[in-house]
Amino acid sequence: MADGLTVVKCGGAAGVDPARVCADVAALVKAGERVVLVHGGSAELEQLAARLGVEQRTIVARSGVTSRYTDEATLEVLTLALAGQVKPALLVELAGHGIAAVGLTGLDAGLLRARRKTAIRARVDGRTVLVRDDHSGRIAEVDPAPLKVLLDAGITPVVSPPALAEDGRPVNVNADRAATAVAVALGATRLVFLTAAPGVLADPRDESSRLARCELPADGTPPGAEGGMAVKLIAAREALVGGVPQVLIADGRADGPVRRALAGESTAVVLAAEAVASSGGADDE
C-alpha cells in the first residue's frame, strides 16, 4: 500500500455491502492508511420514502444523466435517511472494528458548499418540463479543514450530502461528485468508487465483461455508459482533471472490496489523450 490518502465512495445501491466496506476501511486504517469514507443511500432513501408515502421521481437532463427530483419532502427524507440511518450504521460498523470515526454531512462546518440549480428544462417521468422546485445543486467548494483536523487526530471522517447552498439552505448533491470534490480538495492519492457491479462493463448486462481500463473522451462519458455508471464516470473525470492520480471503480459486494480494487480487481479510469488538455466536465443540467 502506497502512502497517502484514500477516498472511498460507498455506493447507496442495493447490493453494496456496507459491513464489508467498513471492515476493509478498518483494515486499511489499521495498516496506517488515511481514509475518508463518502456515502450515498439511494436504497435506504427509497425505502423510507415508501414508508412515509413520499413519491419519488427522476429528472433526465439534456445530457441524458438521470438524477433524483428533490422536492422539499424528498429533501427531508434524504436528510433523515443519510444522516439518521445510513451514517450511524456505518459508524457502528467502524466502531465494531475498533476505528474512531466521525460522521459529517456537507452542512457541518460548511464542509460542502453548492450552487443551487435554477430552473432547468428536463424530462420528468417522460415529460419535458421546466423544473423550478428541485432542491439540488452542484458542489462549488469544499472546506478541507474539518477533514484535516479529524485525519490528523487519527479519526476517520464519514461524509455525505446534503450540502449548503449560497442562500444558506440545504440542497441535495450527487454523492459520487461529492466524493470527487473531497478527494480533489484533500489532494487524495486515490479515489475508489464501490458500486453494485464489478466495475465498468463493456456490456451492462454481462458482469463478466468488466473493463480493466476505461478511457474517458473529452466529454467525460464513453459511449454506452448509462444510469449511475454514467454519473460515476463524470465524477471520475472531474477527479482526474482535478489532480487525483488514481481513480478506480470496483465491486462493493465482495469481501475486502477496497483492497481488491487496489490489487487490480477493478476498472482503472484514465483520461484519453484528447481529454488531458481539457479542464471542463460533462454537464448534468
Side-chain angles (χ1 to χ4, degrees):
M1 178 70 62
D3 293 334
L5 171 69
T6 301
V7 174
V8 176
K9 163 54 176 39
C10 180
V16 175
D17 190 341
R20 287 174 170 166
V21 173
C22 287
D24 210 27
V25 166
L28 291 172
V29 172
K30 288 178 180 178
E33 183 79 3
R34 296 187 304 154
V35 180
V36 176
L37 179 60
V38 181
H39 70 88
S42 55
E44 289 83 359
L45 191 162
E46 288 163 9
Q47 291 168 8
L48 182 58
R51 280 167 33 207
L52 296 176
V54 177
E55 181 186 4
Q56 295 297 284
R57 293 176 288 173
T58 58
I59 294 176
V60 182
R62 288 172 297 175
S63 63
V65 171
T66 300
S67 60
R68 187 179 303 279
Y69 190 167
T70 310
D71 57 14
E72 190 169 342
T74 295
L75 182 61
E76 274 189 54
V77 174
L78 178 144
T79 304
L80 286 170
L82 297 190
Q85 184 176 350
V86 179
K87 194 184 307 300
L90 293 172
L91 296 174
V92 168
E93 286 288 343
L94 289 168
H97 292 282
I99 300 302
V102 167
L104 302 168
T105 70
L107 306 177
D108 291 293
L111 175 60
L112 302 178
R113 293 189 177 271
R115 291 189 302 273
R116 183 182 292 275
K117 293 180 182 177
T118 56
I120 58 172
R121 190 171 299 279
R123 292 197 307 277
V124 180
D125 297 336
R127 296 185 300 114
T128 299
V129 297
L130 193 63
V131 179
R132 299 183 184 275
D133 63 342
D134 182 39
H135 296 285
S136 61
R138 292 279 300 274
I139 294 176
E141 184 182 354
V142 175
D143 182 359
L147 301 176
K148 289 179 178 178
V149 168
L150 292 172
L151 290 166
D152 289 346
I155 297 171
T156 298
V158 180
V159 179
S160 75
L164 193 66
E166 65 273 29
D167 58 6
R169 303 292 298 165
V171 289
N172 183 20
V173 291
N174 178 267
D176 292 323
R177 297 176 92 166
T180 284
V182 166
V184 170
L186 288 172
T189 307
R190 59 193 71 83
L191 170 60
V192 181
F193 293 102
L194 297 176
T195 186
V200 181
L201 304 179
D203 178 355
R205 294 166 295 280
D206 180 5
E207 290 205 354
S208 68
S209 68
R210 173 178 62 84
L211 301 173
R213 176 184 170 95
C214 177
E215 229 177 59
L216 296 183
D219 68 358
T221 308
E226 56 187 35
M229 187 59 73
V231 178
K232 281 180 174 54
L233 291 172
I234 290 171
R237 185 182 191 281
E238 292 171 352
L240 292 164
V241 169
V244 179
Q246 184 181 35
V247 180
L248 305 172
I249 299 177
D251 200 334
R253 303 167 297 181
D255 286 324
V258 184
R259 287 176 294 176
R260 283 176 181 264
L262 297 173
E265 293 185 39
S266 57
T267 297
V269 184
V270 299
L271 294 178
E274 72 273 13
V276 172
S278 172
S279 59
D283 194 358
D284 64 350
E285 297 181 3

